[in-house]
Amino acid sequence: LSKVVIIGSTPMPPIFAPFPVEGIKMIARYYKGTGPSREKLRELLSTILYDPSFLTDDVFEERYQASIDPETVELFGKKQGEIPRENLGPELHKLKAKLLAIWGMDDRFGALDVGLQLTRMVPDGQMHIFTRCGHWAQVEHAAEFNRLVLDFLGN
């Protein structure tokens, strides 16, 4: 492993944001109670994107169908909140691979300060932050995202 690209993830707890972050709490609510529904998913997906115009009917339906897959419902419905989250922070300095962390400034699923921590802890880390962007940087800024990743992986 020589290069790693990470997008709005949470390999360690944030310092400045509540944990779990808002988006993770919303996923738990989506599966709890009455379970998944299109109405609950619309609310959830509206927080993933900065620009809601990227949430087309086709994308919405694709995400809904994936969310109601029996294995997904089993995993998130019964185990959400019970799955221990491993804090990889103490181990990150050992990563020998180059790291590119990509974040949306308005990401409500991956706290921005986690990306900053990653970049500081990994010896060969760099970070790119997209403004006017939520959790789906690869969608909301597709062309620039693809260029960044391909350039990083190609060097």
Side-chain angles (χ1 to χ4, degrees):
L1 182 68
S2 62
K3 295 180 182 177
V4 175
V5 178
I6 191 168
I7 308 166
S9 188
T10 310
M12 69 190 79
I15 296 172
F16 300 116
F19 190 69
V21 294
E22 175 187 12
I24 301 303
K25 290 177 185 174
M26 290 185 77
I27 291 171
R29 285 194 303 270
Y30 176 71
Y31 285 100
K32 294 291 185 188
T34 59
S37 71
R38 283 183 166 80
E39 295 76 29
K40 288 166 71 175
L41 184 62
R42 189 155 308 278
E43 178 188 5
L44 173 63
L45 292 179
S46 72
T47 65
I48 285 179
L49 294 161
Y50 176 84
D51 180 353
S53 71
F54 285 100
L55 186 57
T56 64
D57 290 341
D58 289 342
V59 170
F60 178 83
E61 189 59 28
E62 179 182 309
R63 299 303 296 196
Y64 179 70
Q65 292 303 320
S67 78
I68 60 171
D69 174 78
E71 288 181 20
T72 303
V73 172
E74 175 72 19
L75 174 67
F76 287 100
K78 292 187 177 179
K79 297 180 182 175
Q80 188 69 26
E82 298 171 18
I83 300 171
R85 293 190 171 269
E86 187 174 1
N87 180 359
L88 300 176
E91 303 297 319
L92 288 173
H93 71 281
K94 297 177 185 176
L95 183 63
K96 302 298 183 216
K98 292 182 177 186
L99 171 78
L100 173 60
I102 299 176
W103 247 262
M105 180 70 76
D106 301 289
D107 189 339
R108 294 158 70 179
F109 287 73
L112 181 63
D113 70 274
V114 171
L116 296 170
Q117 290 180 72
L118 277 168
T119 306
R120 184 167 186 80
M121 297 168 117
V122 173
D124 200 354
Q126 58 182 295
M127 184 175 187
H128 184 90
I129 303 169
F130 286 103
T131 58
R132 295 178 306 284
C133 184
H135 190 60
W136 283 358
Q138 73 276 16
V139 172
E140 294 189 89
H141 295 274
E144 190 174 358
F145 174 90
N146 290 337
R147 183 189 54 76
L148 275 169
V149 171
L150 290 173
D151 287 350
F152 176 75
L153 296 175
N155 289 331

